[in-house]
Amino acid sequence: MAGKRKGTYKIRNWRQYNESLVERGSITFWFNEDVLADWHHANQRPKVGHPFVYSDTAIECVLSLRELFRLPYRQTEGLARSLADLMGVEVAIPDYTSLAKRAASLEVSLEVSKHTGSIDVVVDSTGLKVFGEGEWKTRKHGVSKRRTWRKLHLAVNPDTQEIEAEVLTENSGHDADQVDE
């Protein structure tokens, strides 16, 4: 039975296939002209201390890169500098300390959609393994730390695919016990 493999696919156009693989790594960034125009802070209100150099829009722009690539602040500053250089944009990039301080003070409001009336939800759970000191120590030294399981129950709106509610329970918790009638 060694001759037949499941799911094999014969590639006929290698040039197109290779180009599609290369395109997967392609990334394009652009700064909106409005963002570039509002890059520096207006500093209209006199405050105690050093005035802001960069606008909230500039800080949010760089912090969105940080969130997108899950980078620390220093690497975010380096990425933003290199992107500005590659795009030929003449803007000064906020340093990592400014990013960290302004990120703490920025109030970003995420709009949560309000539901009127009843909605249908799909409830499902997944098991989460919780351990003490790790699998390696257990295998290496035979230390039998008691491992436990938790269940994460999610109520998902199938129309919008948003998570409406979540509950973390012991392993004995059942989906039907977590919702009202």
Side-chain angles (χ1 to χ4, degrees), residues 37-53:
D38 295 335
W39 194 260
H40 293 284
H41 198 277
N43 291 320
Q44 296 161 348
R45 292 175 275 149
K47 294 186 343 183
V48 177
H50 191 274
F52 286 147
V53 177

PDB file of all heavy atoms in Angstrom, residues 37-53:
ATOM      1  N   ALA A  37       0.314  65.344   7.554  1.00  0.00           N
ATOM      2  CA  ALA A  37       0.090  66.772   7.832  1.00  0.00           C
ATOM      3  C   ALA A  37      -0.092  67.023   9.319  1.00  0.00           C
ATOM      4  O   ALA A  37       0.304  68.083   9.831  1.00  0.00           O
ATOM      5  CB  ALA A  37      -1.131  67.256   7.048  1.00  0.00           C
ATOM      6  N   ASP A  38      -0.679  66.061  10.039  1.00  0.00           N
ATOM      7  CA  ASP A  38      -0.927  66.222  11.471  1.00  0.00           C
ATOM      8  C   ASP A  38       0.082  65.471  12.319  1.00  0.00           C
ATOM      9  O   ASP A  38      -0.208  65.109  13.455  1.00  0.00           O
ATOM     10  CB  ASP A  38      -2.335  65.712  11.815  1.00  0.00           C
ATOM     11  CG  ASP A  38      -3.418  66.548  11.172  1.00  0.00           C
ATOM     12  OD1 ASP A  38      -3.152  67.729  10.878  1.00  0.00           O
ATOM     13  OD2 ASP A  38      -4.523  66.012  10.960  1.00  0.00           O
ATOM     14  N   TRP A  39       1.272  65.227  11.808  1.00  0.00           N
ATOM     15  CA  TRP A  39       2.259  64.418  12.520  1.00  0.00           C
ATOM     16  C   TRP A  39       2.753  65.102  13.794  1.00  0.00           C
ATOM     17  O   TRP A  39       2.945  64.459  14.813  1.00  0.00           O
ATOM     18  CB  TRP A  39       3.430  64.109  11.591  1.00  0.00           C
ATOM     19  CG  TRP A  39       4.313  63.021  12.101  1.00  0.00           C
ATOM     20  CD1 TRP A  39       5.507  63.162  12.740  1.00  0.00           C
ATOM     21  CD2 TRP A  39       4.069  61.619  12.010  1.00  0.00           C
ATOM     22  NE1 TRP A  39       6.026  61.946  13.050  1.00  0.00           N
ATOM     23  CE2 TRP A  39       5.158  60.963  12.611  1.00  0.00           C
ATOM     24  CE3 TRP A  39       3.044  60.846  11.480  1.00  0.00           C
ATOM     25  CZ2 TRP A  39       5.254  59.579  12.706  1.00  0.00           C
ATOM     26  CZ3 TRP A  39       3.139  59.472  11.570  1.00  0.00           C
ATOM     27  CH2 TRP A  39       4.231  58.855  12.175  1.00  0.00           C
ATOM     28  N   HIS A  40       2.963  66.399  13.738  1.00  0.00           N
ATOM     29  CA  HIS A  40       3.473  67.125  14.910  1.00  0.00           C
ATOM     30  C   HIS A  40       2.323  67.693  15.717  1.00  0.00           C
ATOM     31  O   HIS A  40       1.303  68.112  15.179  1.00  0.00           O
ATOM     32  CB  HIS A  40       4.438  68.227  14.481  1.00  0.00           C
ATOM     33  CG  HIS A  40       5.694  67.678  13.891  1.00  0.00           C
ATOM     34  ND1 HIS A  40       6.691  67.131  14.646  1.00  0.00           N
ATOM     35  CD2 HIS A  40       6.089  67.549  12.608  1.00  0.00           C
ATOM     36  CE1 HIS A  40       7.658  66.700  13.860  1.00  0.00           C
ATOM     37  NE2 HIS A  40       7.314  66.939  12.603  1.00  0.00           N
ATOM     38  N   HIS A  41       2.507  67.737  17.025  1.00  0.00           N
ATOM     39  CA  HIS A  41       1.463  68.199  17.942  1.00  0.00           C
ATOM     40  C   HIS A  41       1.324  69.711  17.835  1.00  0.00           C
ATOM     41  O   HIS A  41       2.308  70.439  17.715  1.00  0.00           O
ATOM     42  CB  HIS A  41       1.822  67.794  19.372  1.00  0.00           C
ATOM     43  CG  HIS A  41       0.669  67.826  20.306  1.00  0.00           C
ATOM     44  ND1 HIS A  41       0.248  68.969  20.909  1.00  0.00           N
ATOM     45  CD2 HIS A  41      -0.163  66.841  20.723  1.00  0.00           C
ATOM     46  CE1 HIS A  41      -0.797  68.696  21.673  1.00  0.00           C
ATOM     47  NE2 HIS A  41      -1.059  67.402  21.577  1.00  0.00           N
ATOM     48  N   ALA A  42       0.097  70.201  17.914  1.00  0.00           N
ATOM     49  CA  ALA A  42      -0.155  71.644  17.785  1.00  0.00           C
ATOM     50  C   ALA A  42       0.242  72.408  19.036  1.00  0.00           C
ATOM     51  O   ALA A  42       0.617  73.580  18.960  1.00  0.00           O
ATOM     52  CB  ALA A  42      -1.636  71.879  17.478  1.00  0.00           C
ATOM     53  N   ASN A  43       0.162  71.798  20.227  1.00  0.00           N
ATOM     54  CA  ASN A  43       0.520  72.433  21.500  1.00  0.00           C
ATOM     55  C   ASN A  43      -0.173  73.774  21.675  1.00  0.00           C
ATOM     56  O   ASN A  43       0.463  74.789  21.968  1.00  0.00           O
ATOM     57  CB  ASN A  43       2.034  72.598  21.624  1.00  0.00           C
ATOM     58  CG  ASN A  43       2.728  71.276  21.778  1.00  0.00           C
ATOM     59  OD1 ASN A  43       2.249  70.397  22.479  1.00  0.00           O
ATOM     60  ND2 ASN A  43       3.843  71.111  21.088  1.00  0.00           N
ATOM     61  N   GLN A  44      -1.485  73.773  21.529  1.00  0.00           N
ATOM     62  CA  GLN A  44      -2.239  75.010  21.658  1.00  0.00           C
ATOM     63  C   GLN A  44      -2.459  75.397  23.114  1.00  0.00           C
ATOM     64  O   GLN A  44      -2.515  76.563  23.448  1.00  0.00           O
ATOM     65  CB  GLN A  44      -3.586  74.878  20.941  1.00  0.00           C
ATOM     66  CG  GLN A  44      -3.402  74.689  19.462  1.00  0.00           C
ATOM     67  CD  GLN A  44      -4.639  74.109  18.806  1.00  0.00           C
ATOM     68  OE1 GLN A  44      -5.547  73.647  19.470  1.00  0.00           O
ATOM     69  NE2 GLN A  44      -4.648  74.138  17.480  1.00  0.00           N
ATOM     70  N   ARG A  45      -2.602  74.412  23.989  1.00  0.00           N
ATOM     71  CA  ARG A  45      -2.831  74.707  25.399  1.00  0.00           C
ATOM     72  C   ARG A  45      -1.489  74.723  26.127  1.00  0.00           C
ATOM     73  O   ARG A  45      -0.724  73.775  26.059  1.00  0.00           O
ATOM     74  CB  ARG A  45      -3.720  73.637  26.026  1.00  0.00           C
ATOM     75  CG  ARG A  45      -5.131  73.659  25.488  1.00  0.00           C
ATOM     76  CD  ARG A  45      -5.917  72.507  26.048  1.00  0.00           C
ATOM     77  NE  ARG A  45      -5.636  71.352  25.201  1.00  0.00           N
ATOM     78  CZ  ARG A  45      -5.607  70.092  25.581  1.00  0.00           C
ATOM     79  NH1 ARG A  45      -5.864  69.784  26.810  1.00  0.00           N
ATOM     80  NH2 ARG A  45      -5.336  69.135  24.748  1.00  0.00           N
ATOM     81  N   PRO A  46      -1.191  75.802  26.851  1.00  0.00           N
ATOM     82  CA  PRO A  46       0.056  75.807  27.619  1.00  0.00           C
ATOM     83  C   PRO A  46      -0.047  74.833  28.795  1.00  0.00           C
ATOM     84  O   PRO A  46      -1.051  74.804  29.492  1.00  0.00           O
ATOM     85  CB  PRO A  46       0.185  77.253  28.093  1.00  0.00           C
ATOM     86  CG  PRO A  46      -1.179  77.822  28.000  1.00  0.00           C
ATOM     87  CD  PRO A  46      -1.912  77.062  26.963  1.00  0.00           C
ATOM     88  N   LYS A  47       0.977  74.017  28.954  1.00  0.00           N
ATOM     89  CA  LYS A  47       1.002  73.052  30.041  1.00  0.00           C
ATOM     90  C   LYS A  47       2.332  73.149  30.768  1.00  0.00           C
ATOM     91  O   LYS A  47       3.288  73.726  30.274  1.00  0.00           O
ATOM     92  CB  LYS A  47       0.850  71.624  29.494  1.00  0.00           C
ATOM     93  CG  LYS A  47      -0.486  71.380  28.865  1.00  0.00           C
ATOM     94  CD  LYS A  47      -0.772  69.969  28.440  1.00  0.00           C
ATOM     95  CE  LYS A  47       0.329  69.010  28.298  1.00  0.00           C
ATOM     96  NZ  LYS A  47      -0.063  67.699  27.807  1.00  0.00           N
ATOM     97  N   VAL A  48       2.360  72.577  31.943  1.00  0.00           N
ATOM     98  CA  VAL A  48       3.598  72.518  32.703  1.00  0.00           C
ATOM     99  C   VAL A  48       4.452  71.403  32.102  1.00  0.00           C
ATOM    100  O   VAL A  48       3.950  70.333  31.767  1.00  0.00           O
ATOM    101  CB  VAL A  48       3.296  72.226  34.187  1.00  0.00           C
ATOM    102  CG1 VAL A  48       4.576  72.082  34.969  1.00  0.00           C
ATOM    103  CG2 VAL A  48       2.421  73.320  34.764  1.00  0.00           C
ATOM    104  N   GLY A  49       5.724  71.650  31.962  1.00  0.00           N
ATOM    105  CA  GLY A  49       6.620  70.635  31.440  1.00  0.00           C
ATOM    106  C   GLY A  49       6.848  70.792  29.946  1.00  0.00           C
ATOM    107  O   GLY A  49       6.415  71.736  29.311  1.00  0.00           O
ATOM    108  N   HIS A  50       7.558  69.826  29.407  1.00  0.00           N
ATOM    109  CA  HIS A  50       7.895  69.832  27.988  1.00  0.00           C
ATOM    110  C   HIS A  50       6.646  69.582  27.154  1.00  0.00           C
ATOM    111  O   HIS A  50       5.891  68.661  27.427  1.00  0.00           O
ATOM    112  CB  HIS A  50       8.941  68.752  27.715  1.00  0.00           C
ATOM    113  CG  HIS A  50       9.545  68.852  26.355  1.00  0.00           C
ATOM    114  ND1 HIS A  50       8.960  68.272  25.253  1.00  0.00           N
ATOM    115  CD2 HIS A  50      10.659  69.469  25.902  1.00  0.00           C
ATOM    116  CE1 HIS A  50       9.701  68.521  24.183  1.00  0.00           C
ATOM    117  NE2 HIS A  50      10.740  69.247  24.561  1.00  0.00           N
ATOM    118  N   PRO A  51       6.407  70.378  26.120  1.00  0.00           N
ATOM    119  CA  PRO A  51       5.212  70.149  25.294  1.00  0.00           C
ATOM    120  C   PRO A  51       5.372  68.887  24.443  1.00  0.00           C
ATOM    121  O   PRO A  51       6.480  68.432  24.171  1.00  0.00           O
ATOM    122  CB  PRO A  51       5.156  71.395  24.409  1.00  0.00           C
ATOM    123  CG  PRO A  51       6.545  71.897  24.365  1.00  0.00           C
ATOM    124  CD  PRO A  51       7.181  71.534  25.673  1.00  0.00           C
ATOM    125  N   PHE A  52       4.247  68.344  24.033  1.00  0.00           N
ATOM    126  CA  PHE A  52       4.272  67.172  23.161  1.00  0.00           C
ATOM    127  C   PHE A  52       4.890  67.556  21.822  1.00  0.00           C
ATOM    128  O   PHE A  52       4.667  68.643  21.305  1.00  0.00           O
ATOM    129  CB  PHE A  52       2.864  66.646  22.909  1.00  0.00           C
ATOM    130  CG  PHE A  52       2.256  65.918  24.082  1.00  0.00           C
ATOM    131  CD1 PHE A  52       0.899  65.982  24.313  1.00  0.00           C
ATOM    132  CD2 PHE A  52       3.037  65.158  24.937  1.00  0.00           C
ATOM    133  CE1 PHE A  52       0.335  65.311  25.373  1.00  0.00           C
ATOM    134  CE2 PHE A  52       2.482  64.492  26.001  1.00  0.00           C
ATOM    135  CZ  PHE A  52       1.132  64.568  26.222  1.00  0.00           C
ATOM    136  N   VAL A  53       5.657  66.643  21.258  1.00  0.00           N
ATOM    137  CA  VAL A  53       6.259  66.857  19.950  1.00  0.00           C
ATOM    138  C   VAL A  53       5.388  66.223  18.867  1.00  0.00           C
ATOM    139  O   VAL A  53       5.199  66.788  17.803  1.00  0.00           O
ATOM    140  CB  VAL A  53       7.682  66.261  19.903  1.00  0.00           C
ATOM    141  CG1 VAL A  53       8.297  66.411  18.529  1.00  0.00           C
ATOM    142  CG2 VAL A  53       8.559  66.914  20.961  1.00  0.00           C
TER     143      VAL A  53
END
